[in-house]
Amino acid sequence: GEPYWYSVTASVVTRIVENIELKIQDVHLRFEDGVTNPSRPFAFGICIKNVSMQNAANEPVQKLMRKKRLDVAEFSIYWDVNCTLLGDLPQAELQEAMARSMESRSHHYILEPVCASALLKRNCSKEPLRSRHSPRIECDIQLETIPLKLSQVQCSPQRLRLPIGRW
């Protein structure tokens, strides 16, 4: 019946997640708008230098406890105003321009590049948990400072074409 298939599916998904290792490098997503206000084009972007997820080999082994480590390096979000738009460049030039843009650090950051790591621990005991002090899933996160900022130019009503006083 349904509970059997649910159990089998959950077990297969759990095994896949426990054994997966992931490494992603040099991600740069960029949205450009030169139409809304052609005299002041803008670009919004997300950059990630590196993301990796792997079994936490350096952590002490505990029976019935599965551990994964997630590391994120140089994650940032930017909002550039009055910028050069890259979207109309030929494919080869676009790829080079995006790579240079990611490395340049000359953006107007909303979130400056930060690094973070997380240790995800999952209690695999088949027994029901009877205490609030021993959760099924636990996550320890380590972050650097998080430098958030939004300049007046980035959020001005003229920039966003918002009607003033009609909120």
Side-chain angles (χ1 to χ4, degrees):
E2 187 176 317
Y4 171 76
W5 284 109
Y6 175 78
S7 176
V8 169
T9 304
S11 177
V12 168
V13 169
T14 299
R15 289 279 182 194
I16 290 170
V17 169
E18 284 178 359
N19 291 307
I20 198 165
E21 292 197 6
L22 172 74
K23 187 165 189 166
I24 301 171
Q25 294 178 310
D26 299 324
V27 176
H28 187 177
L29 304 173
R30 181 176 169 109
F31 171 80
E32 299 180 337
D33 183 3
V35 177
T36 304
N37 187 350
S39 66
R40 296 187 70 176
F42 73 90
F44 170 83
I46 297 173
C47 297
I48 306 170
K49 184 67 177 169
N50 183 28
V51 174
S52 66
M53 183 178 69
Q54 55 200 354
N55 292 328
N58 297 341
E59 293 295 318
V61 176
Q62 293 174 293
K63 188 177 181 181
L64 300 175
M65 187 68 74
R66 303 287 187 262
K67 299 175 184 177
K68 284 281 189 188
R69 175 160 303 285
L70 174 69
D71 293 304
V72 179
E74 295 186 35
F75 173 78
S76 62
I77 302 171
Y78 66 85
W79 182 290
D80 293 343
V81 293
N82 293 329
C83 61
T84 302
L85 300 180
L86 307 176
D88 293 330
L89 293 174
Q91 181 65 32
E93 290 179 39
L94 174 62
Q95 196 168 1
E96 288 176 27
M98 289 287 284
R100 278 193 314 273
S101 172
M102 185 172 171
E103 297 296 327
S104 74
R105 302 280 180 128
S106 62
H107 298 290
H108 295 110
Y109 288 107
I110 295 172
L111 174 64
E112 291 187 16
V114 295
C115 297
S117 70
L119 179 64
L120 182 67
K121 301 179 219 173
R122 189 172 72 82
N123 183 335
C124 299
S125 171
K126 294 184 191 273
E127 299 296 320
L129 298 178
R130 307 236 185 255
S131 168
R132 291 178 185 241
H133 301 292
S134 59
R136 182 71 68 187
I137 297 174
E138 186 178 334
C139 186
D140 296 328
I141 299 174
Q142 294 179 349
L143 283 171
E144 296 177 345
T145 58
I146 303 176
L148 295 173
K149 61 183 176 182
L150 196 57
S151 71
Q152 188 171 359
V153 172
Q154 289 170 315
C155 63
S156 71
Q158 294 81 16
R159 168 82 230 119
L160 300 174
R161 293 218 173 211
L162 298 174
I164 299 173
R166 292 187 174 163
W167 299 88

